[in-house]
Amino acid sequence: MNIKSVKGMNDIFAPVVNAWSRVEDTIKKHFRTYGYSEIRTPIVEYTSLFTRSVGEATDIVQKEMYTFLDKNQESLTLRPEGTAPVVRAVLEQNLLNSDPTQKLFYLAPMFRYERPQKGRYRQFHQYGVEVFGVQSAYMDADIIAMLRALYERLGLTNLETRICSLGCDNCRPQFRESVVKALSSKKGELCPDCQNRIEKNPLRVFDCKNESCRKISKNLPSPLDFLCSECQNHFDALRDNLVRLKTPFVVEKHLVRGLDYYNRTVFEFTTTQLGAQDAVGGGGRYDKLVGQLGGPSTPAVGYAGGTERLMLLLEEKFLATENLSVFIVAPDEAGLKEGFRMAFALRNQGVSVELDYSGKSMKAQMKRADKLQARFVIIIGQSELDRGIGVIRNMQTKDQKEVKLTDLEKEIIGSLN
Ligand code: AMP
């Protein structure tokens, strides 16, 4: 039997992984500049964390989680998203006691049993931020503007920022009721899943990909028509703050994201360049979640973007081979002994060096140096050692020179700079 990678889960290797690293480094740097510190949580959590936060009636919990029993019969789940684990960690480590405002970021693999296609995988990666303890609409605008700036810094164009408000516990019930009413009158035209959703979680109809359900949801009421005065003020302040920062956005009246924990602000970045999977990332406020998971009532807002989709847009731009600085060609055992020592001396001074241990011919070693695109080759064999020299060959110009063995390391470092 041929062993293959699991469907929808990909290997990432050079040179593509180099592009990933560069993009990830830029993301981390950007988040740090905006005051976020990194958090790493386990890949596996108790299943109840996600059922209680993401929501029992969501697609993620109903259909997409990798859930299994461990040897102790505990139900565990590979994390499908990053927010609930971060909230769990913040509470477990009592971080809000030492500082009630926490700004955290993560880059991590996520797992969802979805139908794989371009831009949608079963293991994928997200970069995300979570802010705890800030109620103000300044913070919502701060996150949105920060992400917009990140995408500009990475060179993304054709990006649209969509915002909406889902209201709060005071005003959402009226919105929900009006959605239930509208859906009930169209029940026969909904897919079986959505027919069930009318009772359980009518707002999830907005996420349904079924053509007929999409047509219906386009004409459903908008949460924006039901906002109480506090939620309306919050949404107005968010818009004012975005205008103040000259951050472009559009109000999308039906933006209702696929997780249950959001309230008030929700937002999404989309692009026209990804085809069907047009969401670059999304986020929103989740002021109730910390309390729901047993913590002190704490306002919160966050965002997560998909790294694979980002790389579909950016890979070519960030693609670069990591050039090898030096290949040491040692055609005999005496040369290899000295080359071996020298390789480590250079590597420990930060120079990338490769050499061949298999005793291949000089020609074969030169060929490998070419293949690895080494900038310089050092040739050392018995005859060079006898004369106390080594040969440095510039692989671009093909110039060669003899250098005293004692000066070789200094000389090569000088040539590289
Ligand atoms: P969500 O957590 O569902 O709000 O997703 C946030 C972002 O993660 C999306 O906008 C996508 O960019 C990315 N994403 C979500 N699911 C997948 C997936 N199955 N494969 C690749 N990227 C995904």
Side-chain angles (χ1 to χ4, degrees):
M1 185 190 95
N2 267 350
I3 298 180
K4 292 189 174 149
S5 71
V6 176
K7 184 173 173 188
M9 305 200 182
N10 301 312
D11 305 309
I12 313 166
F13 43 91
V16 172
V17 74
N18 300 338
W20 276 63
S21 289
R22 287 198 178 88
V23 169
E24 286 170 344
D25 286 348
T26 308
I27 294 172
K28 287 182 190 174
K29 212 167 151 195
H30 194 77
F31 288 163
R32 288 206 174 92
T33 307
Y34 282 77
Y36 293 81
S37 43
E38 185 171 0
I39 181 167
R40 299 190 192 194
T41 64
I43 286 177
V44 182
E45 297 277 354
Y46 289 113
T47 303
S48 54
L49 175 65
F50 300 111
T51 48
R52 280 172 57 189
S53 56
V54 174
E56 293 275 8
T58 58
D59 272 358
I60 293 181
V61 169
Q62 292 267 307
K63 303 179 191 164
E64 297 171 2
M65 294 205 304
Y66 281 88
T67 297
F68 58 95
L69 292 178
D70 72 3
K71 292 194 196 307
N72 196 28
Q73 303 303 303
E74 305 261 28
S75 180
L76 305 182
T77 292
L78 298 186
R79 68 177 160 217
E81 60 100 49
T83 301
V86 170
V87 173
R88 197 263 315 134
V90 162
L91 292 180
E92 197 169 340
Q93 304 306 323
N94 280 323
L95 297 186
L96 294 170
N97 283 0
S98 54
D99 185 348
T101 303
Q102 293 287 333
K103 295 172 76 177
L104 301 166
F105 79 83
Y106 59 83
L107 284 87
M110 305 292 162
F111 303 84
R112 293 183 195 172
Y113 192 82
E114 294 194 87
R115 198 165 57 79
Q117 55 189 286
K118 187 179 165 205
R120 193 192 285 168
Y121 311 96
R122 290 183 175 174
Q123 174 176 322
F124 61 100
H125 297 75
Q126 287 186 335
Y127 51 95
V129 291
E130 314 291 349
V131 178
F132 299 96
V134 186
Q135 178 68 71
S136 164
Y138 274 110
M139 197 65 239
D140 308 28
D142 181 319
I143 289 194
I144 294 171
M146 168 183 80
L147 289 158
R148 184 106 202 168
L150 170 66
Y151 293 135
E152 272 170 26
R153 186 168 172 174
L154 289 167
L156 275 196
T157 48
N158 293 330
L159 212 58
E160 189 164 275
T161 309
R162 299 179 177 170
I163 65 169
C164 188
S165 174
L166 297 178
C168 64
D169 286 351
N170 285 334
C171 51
R172 197 155 26 160
Q174 287 88 296
F175 165 56
R176 185 191 148 110
E177 214 171 285
S178 79
V179 171
V180 170
K181 216 166 133 197
L183 287 176
S184 303
S185 69
K186 303 263 182 196
K187 192 167 179 181
E189 296 164 49
L190 292 168
C191 74
D193 275 354
C194 282
Q195 293 190 4
N196 281 329
R197 286 176 176 135
I198 298 181
E199 297 302 321
K200 278 201 209 143
N201 197 335
L203 302 191
R204 294 280 68 89
V205 173
F206 285 101
D207 318 323
C208 186
K209 286 151 193 129
N210 180 293
E211 206 38 55
S212 155
C213 300
R214 281 172 83 139
K215 249 188 225 153
I216 292 168
S217 64
K218 265 190 201 141
N219 295 315
L220 288 174
S222 161
L224 294 177
D225 298 330
F226 294 85
L227 298 183
C228 62
S229 59
E230 280 97 0
C231 288
Q232 187 65 55
N233 289 342
H234 190 95
F235 192 55
D236 292 344
L238 164 63
R239 282 190 293 187
D240 287 349
N241 292 333
L242 288 174
V243 170
R244 197 159 291 127
L245 293 174
K246 298 192 169 58
T247 300
F249 65 90
V250 293
V251 174
E252 163 75 46
K253 64 180 184 155
H254 283 137
L255 180 59
V256 178
R257 299 185 28 72
L259 302 100
D260 274 356
Y261 48 63
Y262 289 119
N263 67 303
R264 286 198 174 158
T265 308
V266 282
F267 61 98
E268 217 166 60
F269 286 89
T270 58
T271 173
T272 47
Q273 290 167 294
L274 281 176
Q277 308 306 319
D278 67 346
V280 172
R285 225 167 228 291
Y286 53 94
D287 296 328
K288 293 285 169 182
L289 184 58
V290 177
Q292 252 175 43
L293 291 177
S297 168
T298 306
V301 53
Y303 175 83
T307 310
E308 279 78 2
R309 293 194 193 169
L310 200 56
M311 294 316 298
L312 282 172
L313 299 165
L314 293 175
E315 187 183 301
E316 238 166 85
K317 189 165 170 257
F318 283 80
L319 213 55
T321 43
E322 310 251 284
N323 272 345
L324 179 65
S325 295
V326 177
F327 192 98
I328 298 182
V329 170
D332 49 41
E333 186 58 28
L336 183 56
K337 280 193 176 121
E338 174 55 15
F340 184 60
R341 185 206 62 76
M342 191 179 293
F344 277 77
L346 285 170
R347 285 167 172 171
N348 292 337
Q349 294 173 82
V351 178
S352 60
V353 182
E354 272 305 321
L355 69 171
D356 178 84
Y357 294 141
S358 63
K360 287 207 183 83
S361 71
M362 174 116 163
K363 197 173 148 206
Q365 290 189 37
M366 286 302 290
K367 225 166 139 182
R368 180 142 178 81
D370 242 349
K371 185 156 184 227
L372 296 176
Q373 297 181 349
R375 285 179 62 195
F376 292 94
V377 159
I378 297 175
I379 304 165
I380 315 176
Q382 184 68 63
S383 62
E384 284 79 15
L385 287 173
D386 288 346
R387 292 160 56 211
I389 57 127
V391 174
I392 295 181
R393 180 179 169 87
N394 182 325
M395 294 297 276
Q396 221 161 28
T397 61
K398 313 287 183 213
D399 288 340
Q400 272 191 200
K401 63 180 170 189
E402 296 188 347
V403 178
K404 268 190 11 209
L405 267 180
T406 43
D407 296 339
L408 229 159
E409 285 169 30
K410 224 185 339 163
E411 179 79 22
I412 200 92
I413 287 170
S415 313
L416 283 165
N417 291 331

